[in-house]
Amino acid sequence: MGGSNQSLFILAAIVLAQGTAAVPLLIVGLLLAWMALPGWLELVLMWPGRVGGIAATCAEAFRPYSAVLANLTGVCYWWGWVPTCGLTALLAAGALHGLVLGAVPVPVIAIAIIVVFVAINLCGVQWVARTAVPLAVVSAGLAFASAIIPVVSGRTDWHRSFDFQLLAPYPGFFGAFTSAMAGLYLIGFAAPAFEAAACHVGETKDPARNVPRAMLASAGMATLFFAVLPIIWLGTIGPSGLAGDLATTLGPTFAPLVGAGAKAAATMFLVFNMLHGTLQPLAGAARTLSQLADDGLLPRALGRRLRTDAPWVATVVTALAAIAFLLAGDPTWVVAAANLTYLIGIGLPSVAVWLLRKNAPLRPRPYRAPTWMLRLGLVAAAGWALATVFGFEQYGMPTVVFGIALAYSGSVLYAIRVLSDRRRDGIRTRVRSLHLKLTGSMLLVLSLDGLGYMLALSNMRAGDPALVSALKDVFVAVALLTLTVGLVLPGMIAHASGEVMRAAQRLERGTLLDLSSGLEALARADLDSPRIVASTDHVIVHSRDEIGAMASSFNAMVDEASRAAAALERAREQLRRHTEHLEVLVAERTRQLERANGRLVEAQSERGQLLDESIRALEEQRTVLAADLHDGPIQRLAAVRLLLDRVALAAARGDTGDVSRHLERSGHLVETEIDALRVLMSGLRPPVLGEGGIAAALGDELDAFSRRTGIAAGGSRQSMEIDDKVAVVLYRIAQAALANIERHAAASRVEIDLHREGDSVRLEVRDDGTGFDVARIPQLVRNGHFGIAGMRERAQMVDGRLDVASHLSGGTSIVVRIPCGPGVAERDPQGTGASAAMRQPEVTEMGEYR
Amino acid sequence: MIDDTGETSRRVLIADDDAALRNVLAGLLEDLGWSVVGSVGDASTAVSESRRLDPDAVILDHRMPGLSGSSAVPLIDAPVILLSAYDDPSIQEAAVASGAVAYLVKGCSAGEIDAALTAALAIRR
């Protein structure tokens, strides 16, 4: 859709003002548009979901810089198309009025056309396409015919085709330059109109493929309309024909083929051409408004859509504005005023695409224009700016002021939207905003400046027209600058400041707060508090001035805060890991302690039972001892006492026989009693332990054991001097072991070894008996069998250790090691030597018991 | 008691599980003029023998296998002298409480035994 052919209506105005030089000026205008085309393509395809064409896309691109700038671009573009809508409807209505509808007033026909097209638009974009395509095809066909017929029929005067004369408002170079710029300025409005094809990117299937095609086709048509046709027409109908009503003057271009129908053909050509121009703003530019409303840049109502997805409010507003212009007659000055906004709308996209290349180089681009083409786009934008500064004033100062007002109008709508959003969000409106102050000041400057110019110019009517023209140019330049300084720059400053402010709030309420909370949580060792979410959102400010420097510093601060937050989070994470590790270790240690405690409790219980047993055994021993004393020594001595009394009685009687008999009896009893007491004493502590040493004592014990039990004895015992306490312990352990062997082992041989082993003394008692399961020792203790437990207790009393190794049917070995320090003096070895036939019990798979 | 000969009867029964002491004691009593009518090794036999022999006094070892001397005291009609290796006052008191006329600690002199028997004889009369 879209296309530039509808802009032919401007041709007559340019030819009238600039003469036949209008034709090359059209070509220059066309070239400028071609130069900008690749950049536009790149831009619109970067946001393939949007509608509203290059201006709406440009608005999106500018939003990070300034919302006001974004709004300015979109609204200016829309304003640029509104007069076209009314004017083309008016021209088509005029042609139809002349041809078939003479009874109906032209404005009524024009309004009817607009109303019909509004209806078509509201039916949905597909209906717009169904309408636009036949219009474009018929229009293009007739245009081709209009070009080819005169050439083929030889009606074209090629010399006249290239006879370009430039009319100037006043003599001299500056007059000619001003005239050329004025023509180029107005052509800027017409020639590049093929960008309209991009207004439906978001509604196009496969936009990356079809949008470039549509734009290239449209640009091709524009080339036909603005380069080929004007040259042929100039050679065919002459300058006066071009400056006249084309519906009439183009008749001769069709005449060789259609004869009398030439006028009708020319009229239909113009009608179709113009209808296309009426349809486009209602479909395309209206979508720019709706898109901006969606973006939050225009009042929300403009974004309202029907079920057909047609933006009905924006379309109706466009139609009403067009009708208003139409009713005003759509004079050239209105078109010229709107052209200022249009050139802003198509010039800024070239700047936008260039800025995006710099600031968003990695953003996906379905189409990437060569860089030199982007530069050409900038040149085109500069060309249009130049044409504006030097050509705009030719349409009169009121036109300039009106154009500036149209440009400013978007910011009023934006302000309405912002205020409504603030009301909606319950935010108090900041009246004294920097933006308002600067914009207000600039408007004041503009008003005073305009007033000054008006006053100056009104008093210079008789003056030099070139000077007047230059003064007006300066005013235009100043007016454009006020747009920049009054709208764009404050917008950018306010936007940048707002960005910094919002980022500062993010930092204050986000990262810094999190950081403080995180540190406090760390201080109270709370490792489960929420994660610190460090915002790394940078302030996006692209200016390189103080605000840019402030933003950079701020971003550095954000980075530092983020780094600190990340470091804190890492520290907390590490601490958490260490804590968890510690907890695992503590749990493990606790389990170990519990196990150790269990063993300790068991050992204590064992020891307690052992103690009870020891006390019981001691009491038993004492009881036995008391009984022994009662039954032995006391009886004997009592008997001796009585015998001695008998001796005394016998002596008193003088019976010496009795005396000697009783004395002999007494002696015998005393002797017997001494023996008995010695046995008792030896039972309590073998004298050999003190005198012959531990080796001898063990040997005696083993011999006695062997004699008593008949079990063969052996082993080797090294004589040594050891602490008496240690010797007693070793002796008692050996005794207990032998007692066990006698009771339980059913052994045929027993051996006792005693040797020095480093700083310890090592005793081993082993047998070749039945053996037992060492794992059952704790159970044996619980069942009241204290043999081995008692041995171990004795060993531990002197810091020794006792190891039991046994296996079933393989004998038992009890090994005791007691530290006794150096200085164990050896005596002569004793013992019979270990039996080679008796194998050493091994430490069984049941383990070793200490 | 006056026997058939008109002399004062001095018949004593001895019970002690230690045979050597028993023999020495019997010999000593004979030396002191007492007539040892029986010498037994345990208290039960002493009870039955005392009933059979009806001695004037009985000397019982306090601690003997089976029935103890002090337990046998109430079962014997004749005055009983307890002879013991223990000199604990509580044992002595218990012995007296059981009816024994005297409590002598082994290792005592012949005079102490003689005096105790004499006192016992007086009680019997």
Side-chain angles (χ1 to χ4, degrees), chain A residues 630-631 634-636 638-639 641-643 645-646 649 653 662, chain B residues 18 21 24 27-28 31-32 63 85-86 106-110 113:
Chain A
H630 177 272
D631 296 342
I634 298 286
Q635 305 301 332
R636 291 296 94 68
R641 172 77 174 86
L642 295 180
L643 272 174
D645 280 344
R646 289 193 77 185
L649 289 172
R653 285 198 309 271
H662 292 326
Chain B
D18 189 279
L21 184 66
V24 171
L28 176 68
D31 288 348
L32 291 173
R63 185 178 177 278
Y86 307 103
K106 283 181 179 176
C108 60
S109 64
I113 296 170

PDB file of all heavy atoms in Angstrom, chain A residues 630-631 634-636 638-639 641-643 645-646 649 653 662, chain B residues 18 21 24 27-28 31-32 63 85-86 106-110 113:
ATOM      1  N   HIS A 630      39.379 -69.097 112.059  1.00  0.00           N
ATOM      2  CA  HIS A 630      38.543 -69.660 113.117  1.00  0.00           C
ATOM      3  C   HIS A 630      38.776 -71.160 113.298  1.00  0.00           C
ATOM      4  O   HIS A 630      38.961 -71.657 114.409  1.00  0.00           O
ATOM      5  CB  HIS A 630      37.061 -69.411 112.799  1.00  0.00           C
ATOM      6  CG  HIS A 630      36.119 -70.006 113.776  1.00  0.00           C
ATOM      7  ND1 HIS A 630      35.657 -71.292 113.668  1.00  0.00           N
ATOM      8  CD2 HIS A 630      35.561 -69.510 114.918  1.00  0.00           C
ATOM      9  CE1 HIS A 630      34.851 -71.566 114.667  1.00  0.00           C
ATOM     10  NE2 HIS A 630      34.776 -70.472 115.463  1.00  0.00           N
ATOM     11  N   ASP A 631      38.779 -71.791 112.116  1.00  0.00           N
ATOM     12  CA  ASP A 631      38.877 -73.245 112.181  1.00  0.00           C
ATOM     13  C   ASP A 631      40.302 -73.730 112.392  1.00  0.00           C
ATOM     14  O   ASP A 631      40.513 -74.849 112.838  1.00  0.00           O
ATOM     15  CB  ASP A 631      38.330 -73.866 110.887  1.00  0.00           C
ATOM     16  CG  ASP A 631      36.853 -73.560 110.729  1.00  0.00           C
ATOM     17  OD1 ASP A 631      36.208 -73.198 111.743  1.00  0.00           O
ATOM     18  OD2 ASP A 631      36.344 -73.650 109.590  1.00  0.00           O
ATOM     19  N   ILE A 634      42.910 -70.366 115.511  1.00  0.00           N
ATOM     20  CA  ILE A 634      42.238 -70.097 116.790  1.00  0.00           C
ATOM     21  C   ILE A 634      42.062 -71.411 117.578  1.00  0.00           C
ATOM     22  O   ILE A 634      42.372 -71.494 118.775  1.00  0.00           O
ATOM     23  CB  ILE A 634      40.859 -69.443 116.556  1.00  0.00           C
ATOM     24  CG1 ILE A 634      41.009 -68.096 115.844  1.00  0.00           C
ATOM     25  CG2 ILE A 634      40.114 -69.262 117.906  1.00  0.00           C
ATOM     26  CD1 ILE A 634      41.517 -66.964 116.669  1.00  0.00           C
ATOM     27  N   GLN A 635      41.592 -72.446 116.879  1.00  0.00           N
ATOM     28  CA  GLN A 635      41.358 -73.737 117.545  1.00  0.00           C
ATOM     29  C   GLN A 635      42.676 -74.300 118.072  1.00  0.00           C
ATOM     30  O   GLN A 635      42.761 -74.748 119.222  1.00  0.00           O
ATOM     31  CB  GLN A 635      40.716 -74.737 116.563  1.00  0.00           C
ATOM     32  CG  GLN A 635      39.445 -74.264 115.900  1.00  0.00           C
ATOM     33  CD  GLN A 635      38.336 -73.928 116.889  1.00  0.00           C
ATOM     34  OE1 GLN A 635      38.261 -74.490 118.006  1.00  0.00           O
ATOM     35  NE2 GLN A 635      37.489 -72.981 116.501  1.00  0.00           N
ATOM     36  N   ARG A 636      43.721 -74.199 117.154  1.00  0.00           N
ATOM     37  CA  ARG A 636      45.005 -74.793 117.536  1.00  0.00           C
ATOM     38  C   ARG A 636      45.554 -74.073 118.758  1.00  0.00           C
ATOM     39  O   ARG A 636      45.989 -74.672 119.729  1.00  0.00           O
ATOM     40  CB  ARG A 636      46.039 -74.637 116.396  1.00  0.00           C
ATOM     41  CG  ARG A 636      45.808 -75.436 115.113  1.00  0.00           C
ATOM     42  CD  ARG A 636      45.877 -76.927 115.320  1.00  0.00           C
ATOM     43  NE  ARG A 636      44.527 -77.410 115.539  1.00  0.00           N
ATOM     44  CZ  ARG A 636      43.572 -77.417 114.614  1.00  0.00           C
ATOM     45  NH1 ARG A 636      43.805 -76.989 113.371  1.00  0.00           N
ATOM     46  NH2 ARG A 636      42.375 -77.865 114.897  1.00  0.00           N
ATOM     47  N   ALA A 638      43.980 -72.169 120.835  1.00  0.00           N
ATOM     48  CA  ALA A 638      43.159 -72.391 122.049  1.00  0.00           C
ATOM     49  C   ALA A 638      43.511 -73.735 122.690  1.00  0.00           C
ATOM     50  O   ALA A 638      43.614 -73.857 123.934  1.00  0.00           O
ATOM     51  CB  ALA A 638      41.683 -72.358 121.657  1.00  0.00           C
ATOM     52  N   ALA A 639      43.728 -74.716 121.805  1.00  0.00           N
ATOM     53  CA  ALA A 639      44.101 -76.044 122.303  1.00  0.00           C
ATOM     54  C   ALA A 639      45.452 -75.990 123.011  1.00  0.00           C
ATOM     55  O   ALA A 639      45.634 -76.572 124.090  1.00  0.00           O
ATOM     56  CB  ALA A 639      44.147 -77.023 121.117  1.00  0.00           C
ATOM     57  N   ARG A 641      46.728 -73.401 124.357  1.00  0.00           N
ATOM     58  CA  ARG A 641      46.524 -72.693 125.644  1.00  0.00           C
ATOM     59  C   ARG A 641      46.054 -73.670 126.727  1.00  0.00           C
ATOM     60  O   ARG A 641      46.555 -73.681 127.857  1.00  0.00           O
ATOM     61  CB  ARG A 641      45.452 -71.609 125.404  1.00  0.00           C
ATOM     62  CG  ARG A 641      44.976 -70.908 126.662  1.00  0.00           C
ATOM     63  CD  ARG A 641      46.034 -69.895 127.118  1.00  0.00           C
ATOM     64  NE  ARG A 641      45.542 -69.106 128.241  1.00  0.00           N
ATOM     65  CZ  ARG A 641      45.628 -69.457 129.514  1.00  0.00           C
ATOM     66  NH1 ARG A 641      46.153 -70.623 129.864  1.00  0.00           N
ATOM     67  NH2 ARG A 641      45.216 -68.664 130.473  1.00  0.00           N
ATOM     68  N   LEU A 642      45.124 -74.516 126.348  1.00  0.00           N
ATOM     69  CA  LEU A 642      44.593 -75.475 127.325  1.00  0.00           C
ATOM     70  C   LEU A 642      45.657 -76.517 127.700  1.00  0.00           C
ATOM     71  O   LEU A 642      45.757 -76.922 128.865  1.00  0.00           O
ATOM     72  CB  LEU A 642      43.350 -76.166 126.753  1.00  0.00           C
ATOM     73  CG  LEU A 642      42.158 -75.224 126.525  1.00  0.00           C
ATOM     74  CD1 LEU A 642      40.976 -76.000 125.951  1.00  0.00           C
ATOM     75  CD2 LEU A 642      41.748 -74.556 127.832  1.00  0.00           C
ATOM     76  N   LEU A 643      46.456 -76.913 126.680  1.00  0.00           N
ATOM     77  CA  LEU A 643      47.530 -77.874 126.951  1.00  0.00           C
ATOM     78  C   LEU A 643      48.530 -77.305 127.941  1.00  0.00           C
ATOM     79  O   LEU A 643      49.024 -78.003 128.853  1.00  0.00           O
ATOM     80  CB  LEU A 643      48.245 -78.244 125.641  1.00  0.00           C
ATOM     81  CG  LEU A 643      47.621 -79.419 124.860  1.00  0.00           C
ATOM     82  CD1 LEU A 643      48.314 -79.589 123.526  1.00  0.00           C
ATOM     83  CD2 LEU A 643      47.723 -80.724 125.669  1.00  0.00           C
ATOM     84  N   ASP A 645      47.842 -75.148 130.150  1.00  0.00           N
ATOM     85  CA  ASP A 645      47.226 -75.235 131.483  1.00  0.00           C
ATOM     86  C   ASP A 645      47.365 -76.654 132.062  1.00  0.00           C
ATOM     87  O   ASP A 645      47.612 -76.836 133.265  1.00  0.00           O
ATOM     88  CB  ASP A 645      45.742 -74.871 131.390  1.00  0.00           C
ATOM     89  CG  ASP A 645      45.538 -73.362 131.337  1.00  0.00           C
ATOM     90  OD1 ASP A 645      46.512 -72.624 131.680  1.00  0.00           O
ATOM     91  OD2 ASP A 645      44.446 -72.909 130.949  1.00  0.00           O
ATOM     92  N   ARG A 646      47.259 -77.622 131.170  1.00  0.00           N
ATOM     93  CA  ARG A 646      47.429 -79.008 131.628  1.00  0.00           C
ATOM     94  C   ARG A 646      48.857 -79.248 132.084  1.00  0.00           C
ATOM     95  O   ARG A 646      49.108 -79.967 133.054  1.00  0.00           O
ATOM     96  CB  ARG A 646      47.069 -79.980 130.496  1.00  0.00           C
ATOM     97  CG  ARG A 646      45.587 -80.032 130.199  1.00  0.00           C
ATOM     98  CD  ARG A 646      45.253 -81.220 129.317  1.00  0.00           C
ATOM     99  NE  ARG A 646      45.255 -82.453 130.087  1.00  0.00           N
ATOM    100  CZ  ARG A 646      45.082 -83.647 129.532  1.00  0.00           C
ATOM    101  NH1 ARG A 646      44.915 -83.751 128.191  1.00  0.00           N
ATOM    102  NH2 ARG A 646      45.087 -84.734 130.286  1.00  0.00           N
ATOM    103  N   LEU A 649      49.096 -77.902 135.423  1.00  0.00           N
ATOM    104  CA  LEU A 649      48.433 -78.788 136.368  1.00  0.00           C
ATOM    105  C   LEU A 649      49.294 -80.034 136.636  1.00  0.00           C
ATOM    106  O   LEU A 649      49.442 -80.468 137.792  1.00  0.00           O
ATOM    107  CB  LEU A 649      47.055 -79.206 135.812  1.00  0.00           C
ATOM    108  CG  LEU A 649      45.981 -78.088 135.798  1.00  0.00           C
ATOM    109  CD1 LEU A 649      44.746 -78.573 135.041  1.00  0.00           C
ATOM    110  CD2 LEU A 649      45.602 -77.730 137.239  1.00  0.00           C
ATOM    111  N   ARG A 653      51.129 -81.270 139.993  1.00  0.00           N
ATOM    112  CA  ARG A 653      50.972 -82.623 140.521  1.00  0.00           C
ATOM    113  C   ARG A 653      52.318 -83.336 140.648  1.00  0.00           C
ATOM    114  O   ARG A 653      52.427 -84.365 141.243  1.00  0.00           O
ATOM    115  CB  ARG A 653      50.105 -83.461 139.548  1.00  0.00           C
ATOM    116  CG  ARG A 653      48.652 -83.165 139.553  1.00  0.00           C
ATOM    117  CD  ARG A 653      47.877 -84.328 138.917  1.00  0.00           C
ATOM    118  NE  ARG A 653      48.357 -84.740 137.645  1.00  0.00           N
ATOM    119  CZ  ARG A 653      47.941 -84.221 136.487  1.00  0.00           C
ATOM    120  NH1 ARG A 653      47.041 -83.225 136.488  1.00  0.00           N
ATOM    121  NH2 ARG A 653      48.430 -84.684 135.372  1.00  0.00           N
ATOM    122  N   HIS A 662      52.398 -83.341 127.417  1.00  0.00           N
ATOM    123  CA  HIS A 662      51.576 -82.176 127.004  1.00  0.00           C
ATOM    124  C   HIS A 662      52.403 -81.157 126.239  1.00  0.00           C
ATOM    125  O   HIS A 662      51.928 -80.559 125.255  1.00  0.00           O
ATOM    126  CB  HIS A 662      50.936 -81.500 128.226  1.00  0.00           C
ATOM    127  CG  HIS A 662      49.895 -82.345 128.889  1.00  0.00           C
ATOM    128  ND1 HIS A 662      49.062 -83.198 128.219  1.00  0.00           N
ATOM    129  CD2 HIS A 662      49.538 -82.489 130.229  1.00  0.00           C
ATOM    130  CE1 HIS A 662      48.270 -83.829 129.049  1.00  0.00           C
ATOM    131  NE2 HIS A 662      48.543 -83.425 130.326  1.00  0.00           N
TER     132      HIS A 662
ATOM    133  N   ASP B  18      36.108 -79.290 116.451  1.00  0.00           N
ATOM    134  CA  ASP B  18      37.546 -79.478 116.335  1.00  0.00           C
ATOM    135  C   ASP B  18      37.966 -80.588 117.281  1.00  0.00           C
ATOM    136  O   ASP B  18      37.955 -80.444 118.520  1.00  0.00           O
ATOM    137  CB  ASP B  18      38.272 -78.165 116.685  1.00  0.00           C
ATOM    138  CG  ASP B  18      39.751 -78.231 116.367  1.00  0.00           C
ATOM    139  OD1 ASP B  18      40.517 -78.795 117.165  1.00  0.00           O
ATOM    140  OD2 ASP B  18      40.142 -77.742 115.274  1.00  0.00           O
ATOM    141  N   LEU B  21      40.984 -79.922 119.765  1.00  0.00           N
ATOM    142  CA  LEU B  21      40.634 -79.081 120.911  1.00  0.00           C
ATOM    143  C   LEU B  21      39.736 -79.849 121.879  1.00  0.00           C
ATOM    144  O   LEU B  21      39.876 -79.760 123.101  1.00  0.00           O
ATOM    145  CB  LEU B  21      39.920 -77.806 120.410  1.00  0.00           C
ATOM    146  CG  LEU B  21      39.585 -76.794 121.491  1.00  0.00           C
ATOM    147  CD1 LEU B  21      40.886 -76.203 122.081  1.00  0.00           C
ATOM    148  CD2 LEU B  21      38.715 -75.676 120.951  1.00  0.00           C
ATOM    149  N   VAL B  24      41.873 -82.128 123.900  1.00  0.00           N
ATOM    150  CA  VAL B  24      42.673 -81.396 124.894  1.00  0.00           C
ATOM    151  C   VAL B  24      41.761 -80.929 126.029  1.00  0.00           C
ATOM    152  O   VAL B  24      42.110 -81.059 127.222  1.00  0.00           O
ATOM    153  CB  VAL B  24      43.375 -80.201 124.217  1.00  0.00           C
ATOM    154  CG1 VAL B  24      44.035 -79.307 125.281  1.00  0.00           C
ATOM    155  CG2 VAL B  24      44.430 -80.687 123.236  1.00  0.00           C
ATOM    156  N   GLY B  27      40.789 -83.814 128.286  1.00  0.00           N
ATOM    157  CA  GLY B  27      41.926 -84.160 129.136  1.00  0.00           C
ATOM    158  C   GLY B  27      42.050 -83.153 130.272  1.00  0.00           C
ATOM    159  O   GLY B  27      42.251 -83.517 131.446  1.00  0.00           O
ATOM    160  N   LEU B  28      41.903 -81.871 129.924  1.00  0.00           N
ATOM    161  CA  LEU B  28      42.051 -80.832 130.941  1.00  0.00           C
ATOM    162  C   LEU B  28      40.963 -80.975 132.010  1.00  0.00           C
ATOM    163  O   LEU B  28      41.244 -80.881 133.220  1.00  0.00           O
ATOM    164  CB  LEU B  28      41.942 -79.445 130.261  1.00  0.00           C
ATOM    165  CG  LEU B  28      41.982 -78.250 131.203  1.00  0.00           C
ATOM    166  CD1 LEU B  28      43.405 -78.125 131.831  1.00  0.00           C
ATOM    167  CD2 LEU B  28      41.628 -76.957 130.501  1.00  0.00           C
ATOM    168  N   ASP B  31      41.732 -83.570 134.236  1.00  0.00           N
ATOM    169  CA  ASP B  31      42.779 -83.133 135.159  1.00  0.00           C
ATOM    170  C   ASP B  31      42.169 -82.295 136.287  1.00  0.00           C
ATOM    171  O   ASP B  31      42.646 -82.316 137.431  1.00  0.00           O
ATOM    172  CB  ASP B  31      43.819 -82.276 134.421  1.00  0.00           C
ATOM    173  CG  ASP B  31      44.703 -83.119 133.489  1.00  0.00           C
ATOM    174  OD1 ASP B  31      44.654 -84.365 133.592  1.00  0.00           O
ATOM    175  OD2 ASP B  31      45.430 -82.527 132.635  1.00  0.00           O
ATOM    176  N   LEU B  32      41.118 -81.527 135.945  1.00  0.00           N
ATOM    177  CA  LEU B  32      40.504 -80.641 136.940  1.00  0.00           C
ATOM    178  C   LEU B  32      39.485 -81.387 137.822  1.00  0.00           C
ATOM    179  O   LEU B  32      38.831 -80.787 138.684  1.00  0.00           O
ATOM    180  CB  LEU B  32      39.805 -79.463 136.221  1.00  0.00           C
ATOM    181  CG  LEU B  32      40.750 -78.455 135.549  1.00  0.00           C
ATOM    182  CD1 LEU B  32      39.941 -77.453 134.730  1.00  0.00           C
ATOM    183  CD2 LEU B  32      41.586 -77.700 136.591  1.00  0.00           C
ATOM    184  N   ARG B  63      30.266 -72.180 117.437  1.00  0.00           N
ATOM    185  CA  ARG B  63      30.143 -72.256 115.963  1.00  0.00           C
ATOM    186  C   ARG B  63      30.528 -73.653 115.492  1.00  0.00           C
ATOM    187  O   ARG B  63      31.678 -74.041 115.583  1.00  0.00           O
ATOM    188  CB  ARG B  63      31.062 -71.221 115.331  1.00  0.00           C
ATOM    189  CG  ARG B  63      30.949 -71.112 113.833  1.00  0.00           C
ATOM    190  CD  ARG B  63      31.894 -70.018 113.353  1.00  0.00           C
ATOM    191  NE  ARG B  63      31.880 -69.904 111.891  1.00  0.00           N
ATOM    192  CZ  ARG B  63      32.582 -70.695 111.105  1.00  0.00           C
ATOM    193  NH1 ARG B  63      33.347 -71.628 111.602  1.00  0.00           N
ATOM    194  NH2 ARG B  63      32.524 -70.517 109.796  1.00  0.00           N
ATOM    195  N   ALA B  85      35.255 -68.796 119.632  1.00  0.00           N
ATOM    196  CA  ALA B  85      36.464 -68.079 119.208  1.00  0.00           C
ATOM    197  C   ALA B  85      36.193 -66.571 119.159  1.00  0.00           C
ATOM    198  O   ALA B  85      37.107 -65.777 119.078  1.00  0.00           O
ATOM    199  CB  ALA B  85      36.898 -68.565 117.817  1.00  0.00           C
ATOM    200  N   TYR B  86      34.921 -66.193 119.160  1.00  0.00           N
ATOM    201  CA  TYR B  86      34.556 -64.774 119.044  1.00  0.00           C
ATOM    202  C   TYR B  86      34.351 -64.140 120.401  1.00  0.00           C
ATOM    203  O   TYR B  86      33.759 -64.749 121.281  1.00  0.00           O
ATOM    204  CB  TYR B  86      33.276 -64.627 118.218  1.00  0.00           C
ATOM    205  CG  TYR B  86      33.359 -65.314 116.870  1.00  0.00           C
ATOM    206  CD1 TYR B  86      32.735 -66.532 116.650  1.00  0.00           C
ATOM    207  CD2 TYR B  86      34.097 -64.723 115.842  1.00  0.00           C
ATOM    208  CE1 TYR B  86      32.827 -67.157 115.427  1.00  0.00           C
ATOM    209  CE2 TYR B  86      34.190 -65.364 114.615  1.00  0.00           C
ATOM    210  CZ  TYR B  86      33.554 -66.569 114.396  1.00  0.00           C
ATOM    211  OH  TYR B  86      33.661 -67.190 113.210  1.00  0.00           O
ATOM    212  N   LYS B 106      37.564 -68.759 123.483  1.00  0.00           N
ATOM    213  CA  LYS B 106      38.650 -69.727 123.329  1.00  0.00           C
ATOM    214  C   LYS B 106      39.982 -69.031 123.569  1.00  0.00           C
ATOM    215  O   LYS B 106      40.209 -67.939 123.044  1.00  0.00           O
ATOM    216  CB  LYS B 106      38.614 -70.369 121.951  1.00  0.00           C
ATOM    217  CG  LYS B 106      37.510 -71.432 121.841  1.00  0.00           C
ATOM    218  CD  LYS B 106      37.489 -72.091 120.484  1.00  0.00           C
ATOM    219  CE  LYS B 106      36.378 -73.153 120.446  1.00  0.00           C
ATOM    220  NZ  LYS B 106      36.267 -73.741 119.107  1.00  0.00           N
ATOM    221  N   GLY B 107      40.869 -69.671 124.292  1.00  0.00           N
ATOM    222  CA  GLY B 107      42.117 -69.031 124.703  1.00  0.00           C
ATOM    223  C   GLY B 107      42.046 -68.685 126.202  1.00  0.00           C
ATOM    224  O   GLY B 107      43.008 -68.227 126.801  1.00  0.00           O
ATOM    225  N   CYS B 108      40.856 -68.987 126.782  1.00  0.00           N
ATOM    226  CA  CYS B 108      40.705 -68.707 128.215  1.00  0.00           C
ATOM    227  C   CYS B 108      41.483 -69.757 129.042  1.00  0.00           C
ATOM    228  O   CYS B 108      41.870 -70.804 128.511  1.00  0.00           O
ATOM    229  CB  CYS B 108      39.226 -68.717 128.596  1.00  0.00           C
ATOM    230  SG  CYS B 108      38.431 -70.297 128.256  1.00  0.00           S
ATOM    231  N   SER B 109      41.683 -69.462 130.296  1.00  0.00           N
ATOM    232  CA  SER B 109      42.511 -70.361 131.116  1.00  0.00           C
ATOM    233  C   SER B 109      41.673 -71.520 131.664  1.00  0.00           C
ATOM    234  O   SER B 109      40.431 -71.480 131.623  1.00  0.00           O
ATOM    235  CB  SER B 109      43.103 -69.572 132.297  1.00  0.00           C
ATOM    236  OG  SER B 109      42.041 -69.136 133.126  1.00  0.00           O
ATOM    237  N   ALA B 110      42.381 -72.527 132.187  1.00  0.00           N
ATOM    238  CA  ALA B 110      41.712 -73.689 132.767  1.00  0.00           C
ATOM    239  C   ALA B 110      40.887 -73.266 133.981  1.00  0.00           C
ATOM    240  O   ALA B 110      39.779 -73.772 134.226  1.00  0.00           O
ATOM    241  CB  ALA B 110      42.765 -74.724 133.171  1.00  0.00           C
ATOM    242  N   ILE B 113      37.518 -71.946 132.979  1.00  0.00           N
ATOM    243  CA  ILE B 113      36.602 -73.024 132.588  1.00  0.00           C
ATOM    244  C   ILE B 113      36.077 -73.730 133.847  1.00  0.00           C
ATOM    245  O   ILE B 113      34.882 -73.995 133.982  1.00  0.00           O
ATOM    246  CB  ILE B 113      37.340 -74.028 131.660  1.00  0.00           C
ATOM    247  CG1 ILE B 113      37.750 -73.322 130.359  1.00  0.00           C
ATOM    248  CG2 ILE B 113      36.440 -75.236 131.343  1.00  0.00           C
ATOM    249  CD1 ILE B 113      38.687 -74.169 129.485  1.00  0.00           C
TER     250      ILE B 113
END
